[in-house]
Amino acid sequence: PPSSSKRSSGSCASSVADAIVRAATEADLDGITRVYDQYIVDSAVSFDVEPWSRERRLAWWEEHQGHDRLVVLVAEADGDVVGAAYSSWYRPKVAYEHSLETSVVLDGAWTGRGLGLRLYGALLDELAAAGAHRAYAVVTLPNDASVALHHRLGFRDVGVEDECGWKLGRWWSTLTLEKRFDDSAPDRP
């Protein structure tokens, strides 16, 4: 298995075309956490305020097992996890089970190069194949690059929550975006 606990040096020896997008394994959890935690301490991209512990990430992973619409993908380059895209339940009530919240995070050295589009596109393809009805994404504003990525992948803006989160000494607003997959009735209740 890949060594997913390496720290990025900030340089990319591989090209985006060389990066591998694949299903995550438990061996990738440290790499996923490393990439995600970049967005916690000095950024409002995530409203988490404390880096994730190994125990918290393992519990998150276990919640994603055994559900065809809870997908975790990683992007790997040079044996290192450099990105992750995943779906989570949109809301905990059963009637929402066909709607998912989606997220994508990349190592800072890999942003703006097209890998997020590849990785997130692969996640959305898997969700469509698994019978998802809707995908929702929540983007902290301002974040023109993330909004543009979501629009390019077929999401549309559905609402702004004004100043809904306090982090880094200020209020932040979020934009909710929606992607429609299929308007037919689900194949199971």
Side-chain angles (χ1 to χ4, degrees), residues 97-147:
E97 78 170 324
H98 299 279
S99 298
L100 294 304
E101 184 171 342
T102 57
S103 299
V104 62
V105 291
L106 293 176
D107 182 288
W110 287 84
T111 61
R113 301 175 59 200
L115 184 57
L117 182 66
R118 256 185 71 206
L119 180 58
Y120 208 4
L123 173 69
L124 296 172
D125 288 347
E126 288 210 21
L127 294 179
H133 182 61
R134 298 285 189 267
Y136 293 93
V138 179
V139 176
T140 304
L141 298 175
N143 190 335
D144 294 342
S146 184
V147 172

Side-chain angles (χ1 to χ4, degrees), residues 135-176:
Y136 293 93
V138 179
V139 176
T140 304
L141 298 175
N143 190 335
D144 294 342
S146 184
V147 172
L149 172 67
H150 284 88
H151 288 166
R152 187 165 176 192
L153 289 167
F155 283 81
R156 66 183 184 93
D157 302 357
V158 293
V160 172
E161 293 183 65
D162 187 46
E163 296 186 350
C164 60
W166 177 264
K167 188 172 179 185
L168 302 174
R170 65 166 277 199
W171 291 107
W172 297 90
S173 299
T174 60
L175 171 66
T176 300

Side-chain angles (χ1 to χ4, degrees), residues 60-75:
W60 171 88
W61 174 255
E62 289 171 358
E63 289 170 2
H64 281 73
Q65 301 309 296
H67 302 284
D68 59 348
R69 287 187 294 268
L70 295 186
V71 177
V72 182
L73 302 178
V74 293

